[in-house]
Amino acid sequence: MYEVIGVAIAIVIAGVIAGLFLKGIDRKLAAFMQSRIGPPIAQPIYDILKLMQKQTIIPATSVRWLFTGAPLIALTSSILLLLYISLSYVCYIIGLQSPVQGDLIVILYLILLQSIAIISGAFASGSPYASIGAQREMVILMSTELPIAVVVVSIAWHVADSMYNPFALQSLFEYTLWHHAGAFGVLGGILLFLTMILVLPAEMSKVPFDQAEAETEIAEGMMVEYSGKLLAFLLLSDAFKALSFSALIVILFFPYTFTSLFGLSFSIGGYSIIPLVEIIFFLGKVIFIYSIGVTVIRVIMARLKISQVAKVFLFAVSAISIIGMVLIMLDPKMKMI
């Protein structure tokens, strides 16, 4: 038990660094694709350290308790989300028994909680720009719920006929989607993966789905009145969420470990370093998913109108996810299990 608690503390500490570096890699890669030098990869860490030393200004027109409490709730929920998603997987790859299985329904609630906290803080600020940003964020939030729910139900349905808990994230480590799928199942899995890749930039409020912040229109929107430590908490919450959501996609679709794929072992001085190799391999997959889901999409696309965002997710992306679910349910190979 003490080992699991130690792993949880290590995940939170490493999550801060990894999440901020993930944001730095995103900015550096985007700059490279646009033939710019870009900021250093560690720039998000410098930004947080600078903000922690700045004065925090509370608007006179704000609802003070909600305006100051919302960033703390958002940060806490993001940390819980990372722990809930990563703890069981990290314990699995380093050979520990985790008491947390990672329920997919709870994960959906934790993703919602962070967004609702930020929306509440924006409404409490008393700023018209923040209110517009919060209204747009609510539209995006409601539009992306259906595709995410369809993906979760489809994954759970695929596991339901096995001996594992269908809604437990831990079940997917042993019962992967691709291993038990026929042609229909593989095609359905690809559509579900595409759905999550399209939802990722919307969850992170990145172009083409950054209407809630839209710097050139509403001056950072929901963040416009935040400064100092409160803004630092919001940026940390965003970094945790980026890491968590990308890790969720990795575990849903690519939970394979390095040793299971390549059958190699590593040691230094007679001591196995396989756990370290597995964690690096996992982070590599997370960086890859975030890069194609956020960086590439925001570089090649322009911002959509908020009405277009609602139509994209409620009709196009939802249709893609439902077709993926139907294909998985029609896969005869999965029914034979």
Side-chain angles (χ1 to χ4, degrees), residues 1-8 87 96-100:
M1 186 63 186
Y2 291 112
E3 292 175 325
V4 175
I5 294 174
V7 169
L87 183 59
L96 288 177
Q97 183 67 36
S98 170
V100 178

Side-chain angles (χ1 to χ4, degrees), residues 91-105:
C91 286
Y92 170 73
I93 62 179
I94 65 177
L96 288 177
Q97 183 67 36
S98 170
V100 178
Q101 291 192 344
D103 189 290
L104 286 168
I105 303 299

Side-chain angles (χ1 to χ4, degrees), residues 193-243:
F193 173 67
L194 177 62
T195 298
M196 292 301 281
I197 286 295
L198 293 173
V199 167
L200 178 57
E203 287 290 334
M204 300 314 306
S205 295
K206 296 295 184 185
V207 176
F209 310 118
D210 68 330
Q211 294 76 14
E213 296 181 6
E215 296 178 15
T216 53
E217 296 177 21
I218 51 175
E220 296 282 349
M222 296 191 296
M223 306 282 190
V224 66
E225 295 295 343
Y226 280 106
S227 58
K229 293 182 178 61
L230 295 180
L231 181 56
F233 291 157
L234 287 175
L235 294 180
L236 281 173
S237 170
D238 187 59
F240 273 115
K241 187 176 181 180
L243 191 64

Side-chain angles (χ1 to χ4, degrees), residues 2-228:
Y2 291 112
E3 292 175 325
V4 175
I5 294 174
V7 169
I9 294 172
I11 287 175
V12 174
I13 296 172
V16 175
I17 300 170
L20 292 175
F21 267 109
L22 184 62
K23 306 290 283 185
I25 291 171
D26 166 53
R27 294 167 68 176
K28 195 71 177 178
L29 182 58
F32 174 77
M33 294 174 70
Q34 295 168 338
S35 299
R36 296 186 289 110
I37 295 176
I41 291 177
Q43 186 62 48
I45 297 178
Y46 302 148
D47 293 342
I48 294 295
L49 294 176
K50 184 177 70 175
L51 285 171
M52 295 298 284
Q53 300 172 30
K54 294 286 187 180
Q55 180 186 6
T56 300
I57 299 172
I58 311 295
T61 56
S62 67
V63 181
R64 188 183 181 90
W65 66 271
L66 185 54
F67 181 77
T68 55
L72 295 174
I73 296 173
L75 179 58
T76 304
S77 61
S78 299
I79 293 173
L80 286 175
L81 177 64
L82 178 65
L83 274 177
Y84 206 70
I85 291 174
S86 304
L87 183 59
S88 58
Y89 188 72
V90 173
C91 286
Y92 170 73
I93 62 179
I94 65 177
L96 288 177
Q97 183 67 36
S98 170
V100 178
Q101 291 192 344
D103 189 290
L104 286 168
I105 303 299
V106 175
I107 289 171
L108 293 184
Y109 280 116
L110 288 174
I111 292 173
L112 275 176
L113 185 59
Q114 191 254 11
S115 300
I116 291 172
I118 296 176
I119 289 171
S120 302
F123 278 126
S125 70
S127 165
Y129 292 117
S131 295
I132 293 172
Q135 291 170 27
R136 292 181 176 183
E137 180 65 16
M138 288 176 65
V139 172
I140 296 173
L141 198 64
M142 290 186 288
S143 303
T144 55
E145 281 308 295
L146 177 59
I148 297 177
V150 171
V151 171
V152 168
V153 170
S154 303
I155 298 290
W157 187 92
H158 142 257
V159 181
D161 288 338
S162 70
M163 57 182 286
Y164 300 101
N165 180 351
F167 284 100
L169 209 58
Q170 204 170 38
S171 304
L172 302 175
F173 309 156
E174 302 289 347
Y175 202 81
T176 58
L177 175 65
W178 312 111
H179 186 70
H180 301 94
F184 282 0
V186 170
L187 184 56
I190 291 172
L191 293 179
L192 296 181
F193 173 67
L194 177 62
T195 298
M196 292 301 281
I197 286 295
L198 293 173
V199 167
L200 178 57
E203 287 290 334
M204 300 314 306
S205 295
K206 296 295 184 185
V207 176
F209 310 118
D210 68 330
Q211 294 76 14
E213 296 181 6
E215 296 178 15
T216 53
E217 296 177 21
I218 51 175
E220 296 282 349
M222 296 191 296
M223 306 282 190
V224 66
E225 295 295 343
Y226 280 106
S227 58

Side-chain angles (χ1 to χ4, degrees), residues 136 139-140 198 201-202 205-214 216-217 297-298 300-314 316-317:
R136 292 181 176 183
V139 172
I140 296 173
L198 293 173
S205 295
K206 296 295 184 185
V207 176
F209 310 118
D210 68 330
Q211 294 76 14
E213 296 181 6
T216 53
E217 296 177 21
I297 290 179
R298 77 183 173 92
I300 64 176
M301 293 191 69
R303 181 182 304 132
L304 300 176
K305 296 178 182 177
I306 190 65
S307 57
Q308 292 174 321
V309 174
K311 290 176 183 174
V312 164
F313 284 106
L314 288 176
V317 180

